[in-house]
Amino acid sequence: APLLALSVALRALNCFLVQTSFVPDEYWQSLEVAHRMVFEYPWGNYGHLTWEWANALRGYSYPLIFATIYKALQLLAKDDVQLLIWIPRLAQAVLAAFADVKLYSLVQHLENAETARCVYFCQLCSWFTWYSCTRTLTNTMETQLTIFALSYYPIKGSKMGNSCKYLVLIALAAVIRPTAVIPWIPLVFSHFLQEQRKADLILHNFIPVGLVTVGASLIIDRVFFGEWVLVQLNFLKFNVLQNLGTFYGSHPWHWYFTQGLPVILGTHLPFFIHGCVLAPKRYHIFLMTVIWTVLIYSMLSHKEFRFIYPVLPFCMVFCGYSLKHLKAWKKSAAGFLLLSNLLPALYTGLVHQRGSLDVMSHIQHLCSDSHQSNTSVFIMMPCHSTPFYSHVHCPLKMRFLQCPPDLSGNESYIDEADVFYSNPLGWLNKEFYNDTLLPSHLIFFSVLEQEISSFLALWGYEKTATVFHTHVPQGRVGSHIYVYRKKTGINH
């Protein structure tokens, strides 16, 4: 209990010290969908569904968790925009705290309290875990469920093993994000080979757990899509068979080995390697899981750091093992880990890419405007750069540049955002050819200002806010975000 209290306190602090945006999915695949599920307005549902939802590539099981929170807030008449933003994240933080404690108790059962403390320390020090574990990302939930499942996995020497429990948790993770099964393929296979009563395992565990979870997922999606769909199949078809993820960028095959894993491990890397050498034979299955997962993901051309986040807890077991065996050096090593992870954790959590969230408070202020019906916001940024209605929570007219991939096989297809960026000024003049169409507010990155200055001057827009975003602007993403407002009474 004291350990859980400590973990909850630390992860709650963690939650409030992460005020930056990581990837669009954090809002668009969870909170935005939940907002639409719960809050309806006369002019239709109140939240935007991205193309993945139009093509049933995502299931409603994960957003349903946040929709439940939103519904409770609505019934209590406490659906204030700040609560809508922070309560889902605090819920994720509490779950992360439970996962930390589960990891501790797993190692304590397998080894001893000292090793467990070292693993727990490594887990709390990890800058990437700090950066990701309180976000409303499917990858975060997948990682937390993986830790819970691991604590019931029947590894040699474990008294905690429970086939049914760990399989249910994997199945839940797979319903939320189908790729969650990847790390578990070697683990389940190894369990199956060790098991004496193989037929029992299949008949009493694999089949019932599979049927119940797929059934529950089908029913939830039937309710919200209005028809029967197997989203997990669509997801795999799109991402694996058609490999359409490349639409969002592709990386060389070795990226996870040369950049992905070294970056998310950070200064834990030497400890991880040392721990792999030291760890007893029964932990080889964990190492195999890490290598297998990274290899499988390496085959897909679209790569992201967060995709391999679920193997991080496995790595922490080896890091803790290493730390424990550094007898005389243990204190200095622990101090080094803590300090070297503190800076990246605080910088990525509080500074890097914070503009996307900070600018939302400027949009929230427009909600209390008496002329709200005449207010409209156009976000001219790379698509899904900012959250949407889940972070505004008032029926403001908002629009952003669209970028769905082409699913019809049209070779010459270019999405709206790309068309816009190829000639921003021309696009604006064509789109807003008369003043009745003009948005009252424009939001864009600083790099665009020079190029569209004549449009801004022509229609009488003035800058009302400058919001810091990042120290490392790249391409279409500028160091700052500008908010421009159309002066009233200026017409042409």
Side-chain angles (χ1 to χ4, degrees):
L3 191 69
L4 183 61
L6 171 71
S7 293
V8 170
L10 278 169
R11 289 305 180 201
L13 176 70
N14 183 169
C15 178
F16 292 115
L17 289 178
V18 174
Q19 299 173 16
T20 53
S21 69
F22 179 13
V23 283
D25 282 14
E26 193 179 338
Y27 322 107
W28 293 88
Q29 308 296 357
S30 53
L31 303 183
E32 192 60 30
V33 182
H35 195 273
R36 186 190 160 104
M37 288 159 81
V38 175
F39 303 103
E40 285 193 37
Y41 263 74
W43 44 274
N45 275 8
Y46 189 19
H48 181 89
L49 292 186
T50 57
W51 64 272
E52 287 104 326
W53 296 87
N55 293 289
L57 295 184
R58 300 279 178 159
Y60 278 96
S61 309
Y62 185 57
L64 188 60
I65 299 167
F66 304 112
T68 310
I69 295 173
Y70 283 177
K71 193 71 194 170
L73 288 169
Q74 186 192 38
L75 293 172
L76 296 166
K78 290 271 182 283
D79 54 328
D80 171 70
V81 67
Q82 292 306 323
L83 292 179
L84 297 184
I85 293 170
W86 287 102
I87 290 191
R89 292 213 31 218
L90 273 169
Q92 205 83 56
V94 170
L95 208 60
F98 274 95
D100 295 339
V101 174
K102 274 288 187 200
L103 194 60
Y104 173 87
S105 59
L106 167 74
V107 180
Q108 191 187 14
H109 274 277
L110 291 174
E111 294 293 325
N112 49 46
E114 194 191 348
T115 314
R117 278 196 297 274
C118 291
V119 171
Y120 179 73
F121 178 78
C122 288
Q123 167 77 353
L124 289 182
C125 277
S126 161
W127 80 270
F128 192 78
T129 301
W130 178 274
Y131 182 59
S132 309
C133 75
T134 64
R135 295 182 183 276
T136 50
L137 274 167
T138 50
N139 311 85
T140 300
M141 187 60 94
E142 176 189 356
T143 306
Q144 288 160 0
L145 288 171
T146 293
I147 296 178
F148 291 133
L150 199 56
S151 69
Y152 296 112
Y153 178 74
I155 187 173
K156 285 184 183 127
S158 162
K159 310 271 185 297
M160 311 255 293
N162 182 319
S163 304
C164 188
K165 280 185 186 170
Y166 97 87
L167 288 167
V168 165
L169 288 157
I170 302 169
L172 280 176
V175 162
I176 286 168
R177 192 172 178 85
T179 49
V181 294
I182 295 172
W184 285 97
I185 292 169
L187 287 157
V188 172
F189 190 63
S190 157
H191 171 208
F192 181 70
L193 291 179
Q194 284 169 31
E195 185 65 47
Q196 267 88 46
R197 302 192 302 272
K198 290 184 171 49
D200 278 6
L201 186 64
I202 294 174
L203 289 172
H204 297 149
N205 291 326
F206 289 178
I207 293 174
V209 167
L211 287 175
V212 170
T213 39
V214 170
S217 163
L218 274 170
I219 290 165
I220 290 170
D221 289 330
R222 170 79 177 82
V223 170
F224 292 102
F225 279 115
E227 57 183 349
W228 293 105
V229 274
L230 190 57
V231 289
Q232 291 78 13
L233 192 66
N234 294 349
F235 182 89
L236 290 172
K237 205 163 75 179
F238 176 86
N239 286 303
V240 182
L241 305 176
Q242 296 175 298
N243 205 3
L244 287 168
T246 46
F247 182 79
Y248 294 112
S250 57
H251 298 80
W253 68 269
H254 55 75
W255 188 82
Y256 283 122
F257 291 100
T258 53
Q259 288 174 54
L261 201 57
V263 167
I264 70 168
L265 273 168
T267 51
H268 284 70
L269 186 59
F271 296 89
F272 171 61
I273 295 167
H274 180 229
C276 291
V277 176
L278 282 182
K281 196 175 164 199
R282 60 185 173 151
Y283 289 119
H284 288 179
I285 184 68
F286 287 179
L287 180 57
M288 223 180 96
T289 300
V290 174
I291 296 168
W292 155 268
T293 306
V294 176
L295 276 172
I296 292 292
Y297 274 118
S298 296
M299 292 177 188
L300 298 172
S301 49
H302 179 58
K303 300 176 172 66
E304 291 185 40
F305 292 113
R306 63 191 173 107
F307 292 169
I308 54 168
Y309 176 31
V311 301
L312 209 48
F314 293 92
C315 299
M316 290 306 139
V317 174
F318 293 102
C319 296
Y321 211 83
S322 159
L323 190 61
K324 185 209 171 228
H325 286 84
L326 290 173
K327 307 219 171 12
W329 294 93
K330 195 156 99 178
K331 278 207 168 115
S332 345
F336 164 73
L337 268 180
L338 186 62
L339 290 172
S340 59
N341 277 276
L342 195 62
L343 277 170
L346 291 175
Y347 180 77
T348 53
L350 292 170
V351 183
H352 180 58
Q353 295 184 358
R354 67 169 299 139
S356 303
L357 295 178
D358 288 348
V359 79
M360 297 315 286
S361 59
H362 291 275
I363 301 180
Q364 288 159 17
H365 288 314
L366 302 177
C367 294
S368 50
D369 198 349
S370 53
H371 306 293
Q372 194 198 314
S373 55
N374 304 328
T375 308
S376 56
V377 177
F378 184 24
I379 301 167
M380 299 190 291
M381 288 152 88
C383 80
H384 307 124
S385 287
T386 62
F388 215 48
Y389 284 110
S390 63
H391 283 56
V392 178
H393 195 53
C394 79
L396 205 59
K397 286 193 201 74
M398 295 199 293
R399 175 185 172 186
F400 62 94
L401 295 166
Q402 302 276 352
C403 61
D406 171 58
L407 300 175
S408 64
N410 174 3
E411 293 294 314
S412 58
Y413 171 78
I414 308 174
D415 66 57
E416 184 182 43
D418 283 342
V419 174
F420 170 82
Y421 279 105
S422 63
N423 177 6
L425 190 61
W427 190 93
L428 286 169
N429 288 329
K430 192 171 148 196
E431 188 77 7
F432 303 115
Y433 52 87
N434 77 33
D435 60 351
T436 55
L437 303 166
L438 288 166
S440 63
H441 291 75
L442 298 174
I443 293 173
F444 52 87
F445 279 120
S446 46
V447 284
L448 199 61
E449 188 179 43
Q450 202 62 44
E451 220 171 328
I452 61 169
S453 54
S454 59
F455 175 86
L456 299 171
L458 172 71
W459 295 108
Y461 281 97
E462 57 180 348
K463 193 189 295 183
T464 56
T466 301
V467 178
F468 170 78
H469 183 62
T470 177
H471 288 122
V472 275
Q474 281 176 317
R476 297 171 179 179
V477 177
S479 59
H480 289 75
I481 296 172
Y482 293 152
V483 180
Y484 269 79
R485 186 186 68 198
K486 191 175 186 302
K487 293 181 210 159
T488 46
I490 293 186
N491 291 322
H492 287 263

